[in-house]
Amino acid sequence: MEERKILLREDEMPRQWYNILADIAMNPPLGPDGNPISPDMLAPVFPMNLIEQEVSQERWIDIPEKVLGILKIWRPSPMVRARSLEKALGTPARIYFKNESLSPPGSHKPNTSVAQAYYNKEFGIKRMTTETGAGQWGSALAFACAHFGIECKVFMVRISFDQKPYRKSMMATWGANCVPSPSMETRAGQAALEKDPNTPGSLGIAISEAIEAAVSDESGQTRYSLGSVLNHVMLHQTIVGLEAKKQMEKINEYPDIIIGCAGGGSNFAGLAFPFVYDKIHGRQIEIYPVEPAGCPTLTRAPFVYDHGDTAKYTPLLPMHSLGHAFVPPPFHAGGLRYHGMAPTVSQLVNEGIITPKSVKQRQVFEAGVLLARTEGIIPAPETNHALAAVIEEANKAKEEGKEKVILFNWSGHGLLDLTAYENYFAGNIKDIELAEAEMAEAMKVFAGHPKPQNLKTAK
Amino acid sequence: MEERKILLREDEMPRQWYNILADIAMNPPLGPDGNPISPDMLAPVFPMNLIEQEVSQERWIDIPEKVLGILKIWRPSPMVRARSLEKALGTPARIYFKNESLSPPGSHKPNTSVAQAYYNKEFGIKRMTTETGAGQWGSALAFACAHFGIECKVFMVRISFDQKPYRKSMMATWGANCVPSPSMETRAGQAALEKDPNTPGSLGIAISEAIEAAVSDESGQTRYSLGSVLNHVMLHQTIVGLEAKKQMEKINEYPDIIIGCAGGGSNFAGLAFPFVYDKIHGRQIEIYPVEPAGCPTLTRAPFVYDHGDTAKYTPLLPMHSLGHAFVPPPFHAGGLRYHGMAPTVSQLVNEGIITPKSVKQRQVFEAGVLLARTEGIIPAPETNHALAAVIEEANKAKEEGKEKVILFNWSGHGLLDLTAYENYFAGNIKDIELAEAEMAEAMKVFAGHPKPQNLKTAK
């Protein structure tokens, strides 16, 4: 009988992460003076062992045994042949996905939270702070900290804190402390509340709060953690793509097309980067990060130097950005509502090595429901963005009569996002597109920022 | 490095279910006249192919290829060595669990819903009805019906329908129609609403409604489906224990103790019955079904003939029962709030082949939180009952200095039950024990019922 899942044994798990910094040209992050920052300048924010990873040029970095031991709770993740979807679409394409929804927090996020908690623990850190939007990242860090006995504090965007009480309970069950942001606990929070006592909050404000809470702890035993965007986060996620390559080899396949949803970039990068390596070295392959039309960072925003947070606590990063003060319109994919994009992903788009796509909200949920009813798993709203693009490509293969091999990343399940589906069935999901004027307004913040160079990756 | 999960390949999945009716002595179900019912009498309720399974005496029954194909979405399920828990308890016991939380609906329930939907489809049925308490079973049947294009109607106990909107959305996403029970759609529902327009509903009433909705469809194309209690449901769940046996063999282990939570009995039976077979044939092994002290069917209620539902639509079944009109006190494990128990499980308890235990609510959640923080997965409140007993046994092994091997069934995850944990952290979980007087009152319904015989299973 046909295999549904292509599995790896635990002893076949990758033992090293792939670091794309060894293979691409990058503009450096800049400090307030416009000069490249030095690693020490990040020392109050991150432990030095993670800062070293952030700037490392080594192509392969060992995964610590203890990290592997915890990843084994759900890894290696299955690669699944989506035969029921293929049948429903009548496509000659062969469609595969990495199922990252099986981790206890329900998404790909713990691939990096476990590694980050490990390195913080090794460095003697007792307490970690972070922000979360819809709550996927906050629960992933809570899960990881529980394994290392690290105290965990999460600033959760207030509107989500109020609307998604289950995520907060999830963090509490793993022992973390989650508060709504803006809070009165930080200067950044106080300023936001002073400006608008009824603010729903934003990811930019929550990041500022979490950084401030870390650096202002005088004991020196607290550090901040980010769940996407940064190089070391992309690095930790590459285990997804490295596993997928082994799984493809087992069945003598190789993908023609790679697809992942992109908010900060980590889910996309985790699957794609090991294949980007192949592409840089001459292999023919299409690679598509997919974003919502309502937050079109890669498809419509420029490649600039911008801050990662509203209060401008972070360095200037070379990235596609809608402006650090931009508040994306409300839609049901909290993980994709971020003004910026990982510098590594941004660089690859800027060079044309990967090709971004954007999709609209109704198409997104139509895709999610089709996948739920064919492949069985209810996808996270973020995943639905990738699915919409997968269906487009599968239909194109059908029109062209081509047996394309499509591989995508199923970033998480939607069990804590079911109100989004409820809204879809009630006809309350609207397509959102950003007006030119609104974008132009948001981008005024770039005035005076240095410009990144148009670097070219050597092949 | 140590393996965390003991995995089977898809081609190692069991190809047959184990039917315990071939090995134990059973009292027959009785009709309204007090005589054993014939299979035809069930024909308006279930398709004949499932009725044949219900009464079959064959020890091994083939699993259809199409059922296996869908089970492969998440099966074979991993057997996991709970090393982090062992370490936290400092026990010499080796603790293993079958992780049934990985199915898309999040529990062991689809092991039977997929099989039931398959047989209904084969028999030409177009529409299935069922009841659900907290929603685990309703979502499992919705998931299964989506794969076979069968219309699915779920009567959900009103208090859960109002309190757990996510489960309803989950069923809708898989295409099912879920209504609160009692409803105005059935005579049983109308009668309940007439008696008390504000009734919170009960599982007994919801079962009556679902049966009535099936048998009253004059097209003859609707059948009812039950998620526990019946012989064919236990049969379909044995894939859990059969996989576990293979996994134990792979690492040269054999369990000294088997533990599962028991509401209607299917989660317990699924793991335990293949090991009960060994015990009947001479193997030394302790087997414990675990129930809540607030609904002590096996530990305190008598072995009687009773109905499975409030409106007495079902035959009289030989089982441990608190009385078909009994409404269990409210606690956070909807799946364990049932007045009766599977006849097969009841028979084994009556004969002393397996030994029931009961646990209290605070102990139950304490266990769940410990497991979430050690093994990573947030357990369903039902699973927490098994965990509490596992911890008791592991601590006993520590006191006795014995290297016991404990195997338990992780019946589901608690991601849609997180309010229960929230209540636990807020100090709102109370221990509940049933008063003698209340039990005596509930059991008055047995007056006039025939008595089952004390049959002995031949060894």
Side-chain angles (χ1 to χ4, degrees):
Chain A
M1 194 167 44
E2 285 168 343
E3 269 188 338
R4 182 147 201 156
K5 305 184 294 298
I6 298 94
L7 299 173
L8 296 176
R9 296 187 312 272
E10 288 184 359
D11 63 11
E12 293 174 303
M13 274 175 81
R15 298 307 180 104
Q16 295 183 307
W17 291 300
Y18 166 60
N19 180 14
I20 201 163
L21 295 190
D23 290 297
I24 62 172
M26 290 286 291
N27 286 277
L30 305 181
D33 58 0
N35 290 322
I37 55 165
S38 66
D40 326 348
M41 291 169 75
L42 293 172
V45 183
F46 300 108
M48 194 47 76
N49 47 11
L50 274 178
I51 297 170
E52 283 161 12
Q53 273 193 352
E54 181 66 17
V55 301
S56 170
Q57 300 289 317
E58 293 294 319
R59 183 170 288 119
W60 297 100
I61 294 179
D62 289 346
I63 308 177
E65 286 290 298
K66 208 159 179 177
V67 171
L68 280 172
I70 297 172
L71 296 182
K72 283 181 186 174
I73 291 177
W74 73 98
R75 302 206 75 84
S77 75
M79 187 175 80
V80 183
R81 171 90 183 263
R83 290 186 198 270
S84 307
L85 175 68
E86 292 170 14
K87 211 172 140 193
L89 296 174
T91 178
R94 293 192 294 284
I95 307 176
Y96 298 88
F97 62 89
K98 274 295 269 184
N99 186 357
E100 293 294 309
S101 76
L102 297 172
S103 74
S107 79
H108 68 292
K109 291 287 185 188
N111 293 330
T112 183
S113 70
V114 170
Q116 291 191 45
Y118 168 81
Y119 287 111
N120 273 275
K121 181 75 178 185
E122 287 292 295
F123 197 68
I125 297 306
K126 304 269 187 275
R127 186 166 172 266
M128 293 173 75
T129 68
T130 197
E131 75 295 326
T132 198
Q136 291 257 20
W137 169 244
S139 33
L141 191 64
F143 164 82
C145 285
H147 279 90
F148 292 102
I150 295 173
E151 206 183 310
C152 179
K153 169 89 172 198
V154 181
F155 293 87
M156 183 168 183
V157 176
R158 178 180 287 278
I159 187 167
S160 294
F161 184 90
D162 291 340
Q163 285 175 352
K164 307 199 174 194
Y166 273 24
R167 293 260 189 224
K168 180 180 51 182
S169 314
M170 200 175 184
M171 294 182 235
T173 304
W174 282 316
N177 175 14
C178 173
V179 296
S181 164
S183 76
M184 289 300 287
E185 297 182 27
T186 65
R187 288 193 308 278
Q190 289 158 16
L193 286 170
E194 204 164 300
K195 204 170 148 196
D196 177 5
N198 298 315
T199 176
S202 78
L203 213 41
I205 298 168
I207 295 178
S208 298
E209 284 210 278
I211 294 176
E212 189 183 322
V215 301
S216 63
D217 174 7
E218 287 172 6
S219 76
Q221 297 188 322
T222 302
R223 289 295 182 281
Y224 167 71
S225 168
L226 188 61
S228 193
V229 179
L230 300 178
N231 303 335
H232 67 275
V233 180
M234 306 295 130
L235 175 77
H236 300 154
Q237 291 291 353
T238 58
I239 192 166
V240 177
L242 294 167
E243 283 181 4
K245 271 189 152 173
K246 286 196 177 190
Q247 286 160 315
M248 282 280 169
E249 269 167 35
K250 283 207 171 193
I251 53 169
N252 296 312
E253 286 270 37
Y254 190 87
D256 299 299
I257 300 171
I258 300 279
I259 293 174
C261 61
S266 78
N267 173 67
F268 164 76
L271 178 65
F273 280 7
F275 294 97
V276 168
Y277 175 87
D278 292 356
K279 183 164 189 177
I280 292 173
H281 293 84
R283 192 120 196 189
Q284 175 65 28
I285 178 167
E286 299 303 317
I287 304 178
Y288 303 134
V290 186
E291 63 186 13
C295 192
T297 320
L298 288 172
T299 49
R300 293 178 62 199
F303 184 57
V304 296
Y305 264 116
D306 195 14
H307 296 283
D309 71 318
T310 308
K312 303 192 267 188
Y313 289 155
T314 77
L316 284 166
L317 301 170
M319 60 182 179
H320 284 265
S321 174
L322 291 155
H324 60 260
F326 177 68
V327 178
F331 51 81
H332 285 284
L336 307 184
R337 293 180 66 247
Y338 183 62
H339 68 272
M341 182 58 69
T344 45
V345 174
S346 295
Q347 175 66 27
L348 292 168
V349 167
N350 198 45
E351 288 197 51
I353 297 172
I354 63 178
T355 312
K357 292 179 179 289
S358 77
V359 288
K360 294 185 183 170
Q361 288 303 295
R362 278 186 294 195
Q363 173 194 8
V364 154
F365 277 91
E366 193 185 331
V369 171
L370 179 61
L371 268 286
R373 292 182 186 175
T374 51
E375 295 304 317
I377 309 159
I378 297 178
E382 289 81 1
T383 309
N384 289 347
H385 291 71
L387 305 181
V390 167
I391 291 171
E392 280 181 3
E393 292 303 316
N395 285 335
K396 204 154 80 184
K398 185 179 177 179
E399 280 160 31
E400 295 172 355
K402 285 188 183 162
E403 285 192 19
K404 293 262 175 92
V405 175
I406 302 172
L407 171 63
F408 72 95
N409 207 352
W410 196 301
S411 65
H413 65 65
L415 298 190
L416 298 188
D417 306 280
L418 282 163
T419 40
Y421 286 88
E422 193 80 0
N423 284 332
Y424 172 69
F425 292 125
N428 296 332
I429 297 282
K430 305 284 175 226
D431 284 343
I432 302 165
E433 268 193 291
L434 226 51
E436 284 295 338
E438 194 180 345
M439 285 183 61
E441 182 62 32
M443 290 176 189
K444 286 184 180 166
V445 299
F446 304 145
H449 290 184
K451 299 261 181 295
Q453 288 182 273
N454 270 322
L455 301 174
K456 281 287 165 204
T457 290
K459 294 196 186 182
Chain B
M1 195 166 45
E2 285 168 344
E3 272 188 336
R4 182 147 201 156
K5 304 183 294 299
I6 297 93
L7 299 173
L8 296 177
R9 297 186 312 272
E10 288 184 359
D11 63 12
E12 293 174 304
M13 274 174 82
R15 298 307 179 106
Q16 296 182 307
W17 290 301
Y18 166 60
N19 180 13
I20 202 165
L21 295 191
D23 292 298
I24 62 171
M26 290 287 290
N27 286 277
L30 305 181
D33 58 0
N35 290 322
I37 57 165
S38 66
D40 327 348
M41 292 169 74
L42 293 172
V45 183
F46 300 108
M48 194 49 75
N49 48 10
L50 274 178
I51 296 171
E52 282 162 11
Q53 274 193 355
E54 180 68 17
V55 300
S56 170
Q57 300 289 316
E58 292 294 319
R59 184 170 287 121
W60 297 101
I61 294 179
D62 289 347
I63 307 177
E65 285 291 298
K66 207 159 180 179
V67 171
L68 281 171
I70 298 172
L71 295 182
K72 283 181 184 174
I73 292 176
W74 73 99
R75 303 207 73 87
S77 74
M79 186 176 81
V80 183
R81 171 89 184 264
R83 290 185 199 273
S84 307
L85 175 69
E86 292 170 15
K87 210 172 140 193
L89 296 173
T91 179
R94 294 191 295 283
I95 306 176
Y96 298 88
F97 62 89
K98 274 294 270 185
N99 185 358
E100 294 294 309
S101 77
L102 297 172
S103 74
S107 77
H108 69 292
K109 291 287 186 188
N111 293 330
T112 183
S113 70
V114 170
Q116 291 191 45
Y118 168 81
Y119 287 111
N120 273 274
K121 181 77 177 182
E122 286 291 296
F123 197 69
I125 297 304
K126 304 267 186 274
R127 187 166 172 266
M128 293 174 75
T129 68
T130 197
E131 77 294 327
T132 198
Q136 292 258 20
W137 169 243
S139 33
L141 191 63
F143 164 82
C145 284
H147 280 90
F148 291 101
I150 296 174
E151 207 183 309
C152 178
K153 169 88 172 200
V154 181
F155 293 87
M156 183 168 181
V157 175
R158 177 179 287 276
I159 188 166
S160 293
F161 184 90
D162 293 339
Q163 285 175 353
K164 307 202 173 192
Y166 273 24
R167 293 260 191 223
K168 180 180 52 182
S169 315
M170 200 176 184
M171 294 182 234
T173 304
W174 281 315
N177 175 14
C178 173
V179 296
S181 164
S183 75
M184 288 301 286
E185 297 182 27
T186 64
R187 289 192 308 278
Q190 289 160 15
L193 286 170
E194 204 163 300
K195 203 169 146 195
D196 177 6
N198 298 314
T199 176
S202 78
L203 214 41
I205 298 168
I207 295 177
S208 298
E209 285 210 278
I211 294 176
E212 190 184 320
V215 301
S216 63
D217 175 6
E218 287 173 6
S219 76
Q221 296 187 325
T222 303
R223 290 294 183 280
Y224 167 72
S225 167
L226 188 62
S228 192
V229 179
L230 299 179
N231 301 335
H232 66 275
V233 180
M234 307 294 129
L235 174 78
H236 301 154
Q237 290 291 353
T238 58
I239 193 165
V240 178
L242 293 168
E243 283 180 6
K245 271 189 151 174
K246 285 196 176 189
Q247 287 160 314
M248 282 280 169
E249 268 167 34
K250 283 207 172 195
I251 53 169
N252 296 311
E253 285 271 35
Y254 190 87
D256 298 299
I257 299 171
I258 300 278
I259 293 174
C261 62
S266 78
N267 173 66
F268 164 75
L271 179 65
F273 281 6
F275 294 97
V276 168
Y277 175 87
D278 292 356
K279 184 164 186 176
I280 291 173
H281 293 85
R283 191 117 195 191
Q284 175 65 28
I285 179 168
E286 298 302 319
I287 305 178
Y288 303 134
V290 185
E291 64 186 12
C295 191
T297 320
L298 289 172
T299 49
R300 292 177 63 199
F303 185 58
V304 295
Y305 263 116
D306 195 15
H307 296 284
D309 72 317
T310 307
K312 302 192 268 188
Y313 290 154
T314 76
L316 283 166
L317 301 170
M319 62 182 177
H320 285 264
S321 174
L322 291 154
H324 60 261
F326 178 68
V327 179
F331 52 81
H332 285 283
L336 307 185
R337 292 180 66 248
Y338 183 63
H339 68 272
M341 181 59 67
T344 45
V345 174
S346 294
Q347 175 67 28
L348 292 167
V349 167
N350 198 45
E351 289 197 52
I353 296 171
I354 63 177
T355 313
K357 291 178 178 290
S358 77
V359 288
K360 294 185 185 170
Q361 289 303 296
R362 279 186 294 195
Q363 172 195 8
V364 154
F365 278 91
E366 192 184 331
V369 171
L370 179 62
L371 267 286
R373 293 182 185 175
T374 51
E375 296 303 317
I377 310 159
I378 298 178
E382 289 81 2
T383 309
N384 289 347
H385 290 72
L387 305 181
V390 167
I391 291 171
E392 280 182 1
E393 292 303 316
N395 285 334
K396 204 154 81 183
K398 185 180 178 180
E399 279 161 31
E400 294 171 355
K402 285 187 183 162
E403 285 193 19
K404 292 262 175 94
V405 176
I406 301 172
L407 172 63
F408 71 96
N409 207 352
W410 196 303
S411 64
H413 64 63
L415 299 189
L416 297 187
D417 306 279
L418 282 161
T419 40
Y421 286 89
E422 194 79 2
N423 284 331
Y424 172 69
F425 293 124
N428 295 332
I429 297 281
K430 305 285 176 227
D431 285 341
I432 301 164
E433 270 194 289
L434 226 52
E436 284 295 337
E438 195 179 343
M439 286 183 60
E441 183 62 33
M443 290 177 189
K444 285 185 182 166
V445 298
F446 303 145
H449 290 184
K451 299 259 180 296
Q453 287 181 273
N454 269 323
L455 301 174
K456 280 288 164 205
T457 290
K459 294 199 184 182

